Amino acid sequence: MSKVSIVMGSDSDLPVMSKAAKMLEDFGIEYETRVISAHREPDIFVDYARSAEERGIEVIIAGAGGAAHLPGMCAAIFNLPVIGVPIHTKALGGVDSLYSIVQMPSGIPVATVAIDGAANAAILAAKMLSISDKELRGKLAKYKEELKDQVAAKDAKLGKEGYGEYLKQM
C-alpha cells in the first residue's frame, strides 16, 4: 500500500516531481503519482484529498507552479503532513510558487522545500515516516553517510588534481 502520494497540477511538472519518485524508490517507500488540478478539477481534487488517508497515504508531496494552490488545498483537507514543492515558472522563476506555498494561514501548515526541490521533499517524507520505522531510519543514516563519502571523494580528487584540472572534468 502506498504511503506517500506525489501529486502535481500538470504533467509539465513531472520532470521535477519524478525526482521525488526516484528518491522514494531508493528508500523502498511505496508511493502513488497523480496529476490533478485543484483549479480545473475541483471535485476530483477534493475526493482525492479526502480519501488519501483511508487509502493508506501518510504524507502528500504536492508540486505546484504559479498560483500554487495545490499544496495548501491538500493541507486544508488532508490531516497528515503535506510537503509543498514550488515549481520553477517562466514568468517569475518559481518565486511566485514559493511565496504562495509558504504563506499559508495559521493552522494550515505546509512544509516547503526549495524551488524544484522534489528530491528533498522525498527525503523529508522519509524522515517523517521514519519516526515509526527504524528500518527506514537506518536507510536514511546510510544515505547521509553516502553523501559524506561523496564529498570526501570530491575533496580528495580536488587535492590530488588541483583546482584547474578538477574544473575541466566538471
Side-chain angles (χ1 to χ4, degrees):
M1 180 182 300
S2 298
K3 290 189 174 198
V4 177
S5 182
I6 300 171
V7 65
M8 61 207 89
S10 170
D11 65 346
S12 65
D13 300 335
L14 194 54
V16 170
M17 298 307 288
S18 65
K19 294 173 186 171
K22 169 73 170 90
M23 191 62 67
L24 292 172
E25 288 170 10
D26 289 350
F27 287 121
I29 298 170
E30 292 184 39
Y31 66 92
E32 65 178 27
T33 306
R34 300 288 307 270
V35 174
I36 303 173
S37 173
H39 297 116
R40 296 178 191 100
E41 304 175 302
D43 296 337
I44 292 170
F45 168 76
V46 169
D47 288 343
Y48 156 81
R50 281 191 179 145
S51 67
E53 190 173 354
E54 66 190 44
R55 291 192 326 272
I57 301 301
E58 296 180 35
V59 180
I60 292 176
I61 299 173
H69 289 102
L70 193 62
M73 288 303 299
C74 284
I77 297 170
F78 183 65
N79 289 322
L80 294 170
V82 175
I83 304 168
V85 179
I87 304 291
H88 184 274
T89 57
K90 290 179 185 175
L92 299 172
V95 174
D96 48 341
S97 310
L98 175 66
Y99 288 165
S100 182
I101 297 170
V102 299
Q103 293 298 324
M104 290 300 298
S106 181
I108 313 293
V110 174
T112 310
V113 295
I115 296 167
D116 291 348
N120 270 353
I123 295 166
L124 182 55
K127 287 183 173 196
M128 291 171 176
L129 295 171
S130 78
I131 292 169
S132 61
D133 184 336
K134 288 185 180 182
E135 182 181 341
L136 182 54
R137 207 172 313 154
K139 290 177 183 179
L140 284 160
K142 182 181 176 196
Y143 175 74
K144 284 181 80 171
E145 282 299 313
E146 290 169 359
L147 291 176
K148 181 177 134 187
D149 293 344
Q150 289 171 11
V151 172
K154 290 174 184 177
D155 180 53
K157 187 175 183 179
L158 176 62
K160 180 180 175 184
E161 297 176 5
Y163 187 67
E165 287 300 312
Y166 184 80
L167 285 177
K168 288 177 188 175
Q169 295 175 15
M170 290 183 76

